[in-house]
Amino acid sequence: MSQTPVSTDVVETAQLDPTKMDFSAEGSAAPPTSLTKIAVRKFVSNPFAIFGAIILAIFVVMCAFAPLFTHFKPAAIDMMNASVPPGTDGHLLGTDEIGRDVFARLLYGGRVSLIVGFCVAFCAVVLGTLIGAVAGYFGGWVDMVLMRLVDVMNSIPALFLNILVLSLFGSGFWLMITILSLTSWMGVARLVRGTFLQLREMQYVQAARAIGVSNWSIITKHLIRNATAPIIVNATLQIGNAILTESALSYLGLGVQPPQTSWGLMLNNAQEFMLTNPMEAVYPGLCILLVVLSINFIGDSLRDAIDPRTKVKISRRRLKKWRNRFSKSGI
Amino acid sequence: MAEPILEIRNLKTGFVTESGIVKALDGVSITIEKGQVVCLVGESGSGKSVTSLNVMRLSDYDGGIVLEGEILFHGEDLVKKSQEDMRKIRGSKIAMIFQEPMNALNPVFTVGDQIAETLRLHKGMSKEEAQRKAVEMLRKVGIPEPEIRAKQYPHEMSGGMCQRVVIAMALVCRPELVIADEPTTALDVTVQAQILDLLRELQSELHTSILLITHDMGVAAEMADRIAVMYAGTIVEEGTVEEIFSQPHHPYTIGLLNSIPGFEGQRGTELYTIKGSIPSLANLPTGCRFHPRCPFATDKCRAEEPSLLEIGSGRRAACWYAEEVALKAKEQGAVIVSGKGE
Amino acid sequence: MTEYLIRRAVQSVLVLFLVSVISFALMHAAPGGPLMVMLPKGGSQQAILAQEKNAGLLDPMPIQYLHWLGQLLHGNLGYTYKNHVPVGQILWPTVGNTLILMGVAWVLSLLIAIPWGIYNSTRTYGISDNISTVLAYLGFAMPAFWFGILLQEFLSLDLNWFPLSDMYSMNKQGNIGDLIWHLILPVCVLVLVFLASYLKYSRASMLEVLHMDYVRTARAKGAPEKHVIYRHALRNALIPIITVLGLDLPNLVSGAALTENVFNWPGMGRLFVEMAFAREYAVLMAITMLGAVFVVIGNLLADILYAIVDPRVQLGKKGGTAA
């Protein structure tokens, strides 16, 4: 969509926006606050962001230091204590049908899910940024070729490609990270390319070129910095996506292989024993849901924080209330 | 004195936001008589556009509420009307011309359809009849080959052309009052003149009243019968074009006049420039709302707010030192006669 | 507009060509190579001939590729390794089943999402809007298959309201009522998945449009609110929604494939996973290609729809962005 040019009217209504007025008021008294600081303040004051950050932190800490929270081994089979209910003999969430401690499996499985999530997001963002940067900066046929590659990758349903590669080359942890990264860089690439296409015609980039700054340092110094904010938002959301895809693949039995475990693999197991041990299916799914939800909260809050347009969130009911109290106008 | 068609009395409005009500207008009073062109002049942020949206009651859709005051249209208070009643007035009796013609037109409908729509809504015309009338109207606003143009989409036209379409759309039902919100701001200078000419032509032909909103004193000089100067949500001075240009009584008006580029050469000594920026209504200064930017400000200005007082017949200013300011302005020879050319 | 569509069609063919190259390359990298994929093991005359032709895989890659492509274009998808069955024979029946599941869920979620999104955009942060926001967050964050498992556990096993899995009950093959009965749970899962993004996008694009100047113009004309929303705003809001529908197709297919596995639905997705374990590469290739064809055709349809809704496309202004 084309950007509407700033009109006087927009400025006028913008002045009515309370948050913006705060800024201008501060601007006149104190030195102007930097955009980053404003974004940070906005982010921190968002309850969803805080909620997401806390939940995610709890999960990361518990999974990273799993041995501190449980003395059970995730793969230790104990047929004597199979399918015991929560609380028995220190089994916080009970055991599964072959006596493995569910809580321990959740913590160690979470390790795999989280590592896959973060690694894939990181690789996908690096790869996407690189490809998008090259396409956007050089334009022309380079752009043309790379964008067709994006089209191609986007037209193969990712799950199929993932399963295909995993079945061709055998399942494995690192192969999974690789193939997940290779199938999720396209969004970032498009984003970076778009930003670059806009920016490369800008005067300061032209000027840098004119004084002989190398392509590489123009890309890294001038352009990527400008695209950082949206890339970070995208990276955050990628973590959630990767965790979901990993869980799906492991659920299908093509991802993580026993004795290693992950939340998805636990669900695969749980479906078989739905009748005898229904709660076993609930825990891992809940973990995935909570982690991905908190990551999405963080991502969305980041996006809102970076977006300079402050949205006025006000419900119709509240509007009505105010209107009834103060307004003299008819409805 | 002719019959007033629109009379805004002490209008105070605001917007509902997360943190409560933010004031937008702080006591606006304007009167427009039949066939008159009244210009509302001021910097951006002074509340001109909000005033126009309030008259149309379109601000309701952006969370706007009226806190106090009346908007009398033929003696009927528009503030008290329901949106359904307002709907019947909008477009047929009061029409609006917006500032960005390219954005004001819906990109997915042909311009002919968009003009015809107004007719069909208010006059209940058949599709064919409305289309024919739309083409006629396009011809009237000076669009060549109107039959072909009517079937085109807004993106196939230039900015000036689009503004002609918007004007056609506004005038097609022959409204009694047209509110034009910065109708030329987004256009090239040459096109601006054409559009203003067209507006004046149509105004004299159809005898509509116009409330013209602009930040450009030059435009006001060219178009207006009366000028109301607006600052931070209120009117600070009002008078005929000649009065405003020859004897401004408010320091802010003088500042605005000085900002007209054409006047610069003849100005001689520099009186002053308006320093600083317009305050928001949430944190207005004490006393006169203009005093932090005013070169004449005294302790009295800082302490008490002057009200808009009659200083002649139909001539009002909100300044404690209106007379002194007017004299001083004359002495300095800063202000030249009306742009309308006597 | 025609020019724009022709350009898009050419692009689509190019994309499909590249997908086939990638498929071929992957297949070639697989242990055993394409020979195993393409030929029945047994001794039909034709097979032996072909085997000789490809003996030792000494032909240069491009020639091999062209040969494979030729077979593909003639509808020969290859043979399964195990029983030497033509791939088409086991593939085609599953395609219909997948389309039933996916189609019902897709149409249903559009029918819910677009009107609801529009409604929410006119009453932001109200009860209905908040419910839909919660739903959208859940849909985005919840593993679809987990939701499926939960439904099975509580609605099928515990309450026995719905069948646990499969497409038909025993002895009821082809019974429409029974089919609908079996459809409910998997469709619920898919609808939640699709709904999440559709709700979000329809609300967002409608909100964006409702703040446009031309909407204010329409109100200033005295158009009734219904007219403003359904005539002036909706048509513009549809433009980005159509784009998203096109872009979302691969996720649609992936989501359907997963759900099929949870509910043992005899579709392409289940077949794919089954064949992945059996290492039946020919079937995997065929389904991957088919998936790509589906996505590309879907995108092309979206482009056509786009061109119909947005008159600006005629000038090719929007043609720059690839689907």
Side-chain angles (χ1 to χ4, degrees), chain C residues 58-73:
Chain C
L58 287 177
D59 285 348
M61 279 276 274
I63 306 269
Q64 287 183 41
Y65 168 73
L66 286 179
H67 178 72
W68 174 76
L69 190 66
Q71 294 280 341
L72 198 68
L73 290 178

Side-chain angles (χ1 to χ4, degrees), chain B residues 88-130:
Chain B
K88 288 172 191 145
I89 295 175
R90 283 186 214 130
S92 69
K93 297 201 172 113
I94 309 179
M96 196 151 174
I97 298 168
F98 293 98
Q99 76 173 296
E100 296 213 29
M102 300 294 258
N103 297 332
L105 292 170
N106 196 325
V108 299
F109 298 115
T110 61
V111 296
D113 279 349
Q114 294 188 55
I115 298 172
E117 189 189 1
T118 319
L119 288 166
R120 299 187 63 200
L121 282 167
H122 295 292
K123 307 273 178 201
M125 284 186 186
S126 71
K127 215 170 182 172
E128 293 72 32
E129 205 184 345

Side-chain angles (χ1 to χ4, degrees), chain A residues 1-2 4 7 9 48 144 147-149 151-161 163-170 190 193 241 244 247-249 251-254 263-264 267-268 270-271 273-275 277-286 288-290 292-293 296-297 300-301 303 309 311-317, chain C residues 8 11 14-15 18-19 22-23 26-27 29-31 122-127 137-138 140-146 149-150 152-154 157 164 200 208 212-213 216 239-240 247 250 253-255 257-258 261-263 268-269 272-273 275-277 279 281 284-285 287-288 291-293 295-296 299 306 312 318 320 322-323:
Chain A
M1 298 297 101
S2 64
T4 40
S7 60
D9 181 50
F48 286 97
M144 170 75 192
M147 283 305 108
R148 287 296 83 75
L149 184 64
D151 284 351
V152 170
M153 291 304 290
N154 270 336
S155 42
I156 307 175
L159 189 72
F160 284 7
L161 199 58
I163 296 175
L164 182 67
V165 171
L166 289 174
S167 82
L168 284 176
F169 300 97
R190 275 219 175 134
R193 170 185 176 261
N241 278 336
L244 284 177
S247 71
L249 289 172
Y251 163 74
L252 293 174
L254 285 150
W263 291 333
L267 282 171
N268 176 325
Q271 200 182 14
F273 299 95
M274 245 188 302
L275 265 175
N277 205 349
M279 285 313 280
E280 219 187 303
V282 177
Y283 302 129
L286 214 53
I288 301 173
L289 174 66
L290 276 176
V292 179
L293 198 62
N296 288 353
F297 278 161
D300 283 357
S301 310
R303 181 180 318 184
R309 293 177 298 176
K311 288 168 200 103
V312 180
K313 294 182 177 175
I314 188 145
S315 77
R316 203 180 161 89
R317 258 195 312 167
Chain C
R8 302 293 297 126
Q11 268 177 11
L14 182 71
V15 163
L18 290 173
V19 171
I22 290 179
S23 296
L26 279 176
M27 184 162 65
T122 61
R123 284 169 167 71
T124 44
Y125 304 103
I127 295 169
Y137 266 111
L138 282 180
F140 276 121
M142 189 149 60
F145 60 92
W146 179 60
I149 294 173
L150 288 188
Q152 283 180 323
E153 265 192 27
F154 297 111
L157 289 179
L164 187 63
K200 203 172 156 178
E208 178 106 26
M212 290 289 178
D213 286 359
R216 195 171 57 189
I239 296 169
L247 289 177
V253 178
S254 295
L258 254 179
N261 280 286
V262 177
F263 290 94
M268 264 161 61
F272 194 79
V273 173
M275 294 294 122
F277 280 112
R279 297 181 155 254
Y281 302 142
L284 298 184
M285 296 299 136
I287 296 181
T288 310
V293 169
V295 170
V296 166
N299 272 323
Y306 197 116
R312 284 166 294 188
K318 300 254 166 173

Side-chain angles (χ1 to χ4, degrees), chain B residues 53 56 58 61 87 90-91 96 98 100 103-109 114 117-118 121-122 153 155 169, chain C residues 211 213-214 216-217 219-225 227 231-233 235-236 239 309-312 314-315 317:
Chain B
L53 292 176
M56 295 290 274
L58 287 172
Y61 292 98
R87 190 185 75 67
R90 283 186 214 130
M96 196 151 174
F98 293 98
E100 296 213 29
N103 297 332
L105 292 170
N106 196 325
V108 299
F109 298 115
Q114 294 188 55
E117 189 189 1
T118 319
L121 282 167
H122 295 292
Y153 291 94
H155 72 268
M169 206 158 75
Chain C
H211 284 110
D213 286 359
Y214 52 75
R216 195 171 57 189
T217 311
R219 288 188 180 128
K221 267 187 208 177
E225 199 54 20
H227 197 96
R231 200 177 124 88
H232 285 272
R235 180 110 184 251
N236 282 284
I239 296 169
V309 174
D310 190 350
R312 284 166 294 188
Q314 289 172 339
L315 283 184
K317 269 189 191 169

Side-chain angles (χ1 to χ4, degrees), chain A residues 35-263:
Chain A
L35 279 174
T36 328
K37 271 190 189 153
I38 293 171
V40 169
R41 200 190 312 150
K42 259 196 208 166
F43 182 78
V44 177
S45 62
N46 187 338
F48 286 97
I50 300 301
F51 173 82
I54 289 175
I55 297 283
L56 186 64
I58 290 175
F59 268 98
V60 168
V61 168
M62 287 189 77
C63 293
F65 303 105
L68 295 181
F69 295 95
T70 178
H71 60 274
F72 292 106
K73 291 275 166 291
I77 298 169
D78 180 4
M79 292 309 280
M80 300 298 286
N81 279 315
S83 300
V84 297
T88 334
D89 289 337
H91 292 293
L92 214 54
L93 296 174
T95 58
D96 67 4
E97 64 296 331
I98 48 173
R100 294 176 296 192
D101 182 69
V102 172
F103 184 64
R105 285 173 69 72
L106 279 181
L107 292 190
Y108 286 92
R111 271 187 185 179
V112 172
S113 297
L114 287 171
I115 290 174
V116 170
F118 282 96
C119 282
V120 168
F122 178 78
C123 296
V125 166
V126 170
L127 193 63
T129 307
L130 222 67
I131 294 179
V134 169
Y137 184 78
F138 293 104
W141 68 269
V142 179
D143 180 42
M144 170 75 192
V145 167
L146 289 175
M147 283 305 108
R148 287 296 83 75
L149 184 64
V150 169
D151 284 351
V152 170
M153 291 304 290
N154 270 336
S155 42
I156 307 175
L159 189 72
F160 284 7
L161 199 58
N162 291 333
I163 296 175
L164 182 67
V165 171
L166 289 174
S167 82
L168 284 176
F169 300 97
S171 307
F173 184 67
W174 293 108
L175 180 67
M176 186 162 66
I177 289 181
T178 314
I179 180 65
L180 286 190
S181 310
L182 287 177
T183 49
S184 44
W185 52 271
M186 292 83 75
V188 183
R190 275 219 175 134
L191 198 116
V192 173
R193 170 185 176 261
T195 319
F196 271 38
L197 282 182
Q198 272 175 13
L199 290 176
R200 81 187 176 126
E201 303 306 326
M202 294 267 185
Q203 299 245 308
Y204 69 95
V205 175
Q206 304 274 9
R209 249 186 217 163
I211 58 171
V213 180
S214 74
N215 282 340
W216 176 248
S217 63
I218 289 180
I219 290 184
T220 50
K221 282 215 186 93
H222 294 279
L223 296 177
I224 291 198
R225 200 190 292 163
N226 274 294
T228 309
I231 291 177
I232 291 174
V233 171
N234 199 296
T236 318
L237 300 176
Q238 285 285 345
I239 302 174
N241 278 336
I243 290 178
L244 284 177
T245 316
E246 182 277 329
S247 71
L249 289 172
S250 294
Y251 163 74
L252 293 174
L254 285 150
V256 173
Q257 299 296 318
Q260 228 183 354
T261 191
S262 82
W263 291 333

Side-chain angles (χ1 to χ4, degrees), chain C residues 78-108:
Chain C
Y79 299 87
T80 60
Y81 179 64
K82 214 181 249 160
N83 300 319
H84 330 301
V85 192
V87 168
Q89 200 176 315
I90 54 169
L91 175 60
W92 295 122
T94 65
V95 174
N97 296 343
T98 296
L99 285 181
I100 290 174
L101 176 62
M102 207 163 62
V104 169
W106 188 68
V107 171
L108 211 60

